[in-house]
Amino acid sequence: AQKITQTQPGMFVQEKEAVTLDCTYDTSDPSYGLFWYKQPSSGEMIFLIYQGSYDQQNATEGRYSLNFQKARKSANLVISASQLGDSAMYFCAMREGDGNDMRFGAGTRLTVKP
Amino acid sequence: DAGVTQSPTHLIKTRGQHVTLRCSPISGHKSVSWYQQVLGQGPQFIFQYYEKEERGRGNFPDRFSARQFPNYSSELNVNALLLGDSALYLCASSLVGDRVSYEQYFGPGTRLTVT
């Protein structure tokens, strides 16, 4: 069963605008962690932000924030003030309980227009 | 500080051959995970090693094996290569590997092409 779902294969945003990338997840484990990674064309996965299932507040890291809605099992990434360098693939991922593996979604390709 | 390093960068093999991919974690990191990323898809978990023991295995055939050495570097071995093994193989290291919250740092990957 698909654990992580990213329904937007591609997204466009104007430079300096904000954009939201969607992610929903499925788990019955009360303890889990949610991650967002950026993958430029070079291939390397770059960690952006983390949200724990027990965290009371939404995570923020600079221009990145995570809109965590636990009841809806969604963990959307918000990028504020988009820059041309934000153009890349973005992956949502989840780690459950024992922490042995990380499941990734199919990704969203973000293109920032000048 | 050096990040996660992987070798080789690119590799071309023929069906039926064997391949060994190598990964050196960030200094001080004791956990290494391997992922396969087929073109157009998200990474798929293959193995996790923590303190030189296998701690997790994804849904991959027995042709895939791995090990972690005393210096915490790791090798991924794939036997009897199939065309479908063509992918980017990513290695990630972390300080720990036994809870949900640890951050993984990825290497640049090894691009394997099977012809």
Side-chain angles (χ1 to χ4, degrees):
Chain A
Q2 187 68 277
K3 293 267 188 175
I4 297 287
T5 303
Q6 295 181 253
T7 58
Q8 306 154 314
M11 289 282 287
F12 291 88
V13 65
Q14 207 67 34
E15 194 178 8
K16 300 180 185 177
E17 298 290 315
V19 63
T20 298
L21 306 184
D22 294 341
C23 172
T24 57
Y25 59 93
D26 181 29
T27 181
S28 57
D29 197 319
S31 176
Y32 55 90
L34 298 159
F35 301 78
W36 277 92
Y37 284 87
K38 172 184 178 182
Q39 188 177 41
S41 55
S42 60
E44 190 164 346
M45 301 286 282
I46 301 167
F47 167 77
L48 297 178
I49 196 166
Y50 165 80
Q51 180 85 44
S53 60
Y54 296 117
D55 293 344
Q56 295 297 314
Q57 297 200 343
N58 287 342
T60 61
E61 291 283 349
R63 295 187 298 112
Y64 304 107
S65 61
L66 201 153
N67 184 3
F68 181 45
Q69 299 186 46
K70 196 170 183 177
R72 298 180 59 185
K73 293 188 176 179
S74 75
N76 298 339
L77 176 70
V78 180
I79 305 175
S80 62
S82 296
Q83 302 171 357
L84 295 178
D86 294 335
S87 293
M89 284 292 292
Y90 288 81
F91 291 96
C92 179
M94 177 176 68
R95 188 184 287 127
E96 297 171 289
D98 59 10
N100 285 332
D101 69 334
M102 182 178 281
R103 308 276 187 114
F104 285 80
T108 295
R109 180 171 295 283
L110 177 67
T111 303
V112 181
K113 297 182 185 178
Chain B
D1 287 343
V4 178
T5 59
Q6 292 186 245
S7 63
T9 306
H10 296 88
L11 201 54
I12 299 175
K13 289 286 190 177
T14 304
R15 276 175 296 176
Q17 286 188 317
H18 161 271
V19 69
T20 298
L21 310 182
R22 295 177 175 82
C23 171
S24 291
I26 292 172
S27 178
H29 284 196
K30 299 181 178 180
S31 178
V32 169
S33 295
W34 288 95
Y35 295 84
Q36 180 197 64
Q37 187 177 20
V38 173
L39 195 62
Q41 298 181 18
Q44 298 290 316
F45 171 75
I46 309 175
F47 286 108
Q48 187 211 20
Y49 279 78
Y50 177 44
E51 288 281 20
K52 291 158 280 184
E53 290 186 4
E54 182 184 304
R55 294 298 187 99
R57 175 186 284 256
N59 189 23
F60 279 81
D62 292 343
R63 298 185 296 108
F64 289 76
S65 63
R67 55 180 174 168
Q68 188 176 33
F69 298 101
N71 66 353
Y72 301 107
S73 67
S74 178
E75 282 183 355
L76 175 70
N77 295 283
V78 186
N79 292 324
L81 285 167
L82 303 174
L83 294 179
D85 295 331
S86 296
L88 180 68
Y89 288 84
L90 294 164
C91 172
S93 81
S94 54
L95 277 170
V96 298
D98 58 355
R99 63 202 71 163
V100 296
S101 61
Y102 61 89
E103 180 180 331
Q104 287 183 326
Y105 297 84
F106 282 82
T110 293
R111 173 78 58 189
L112 172 65
T113 302
V114 182
T115 62

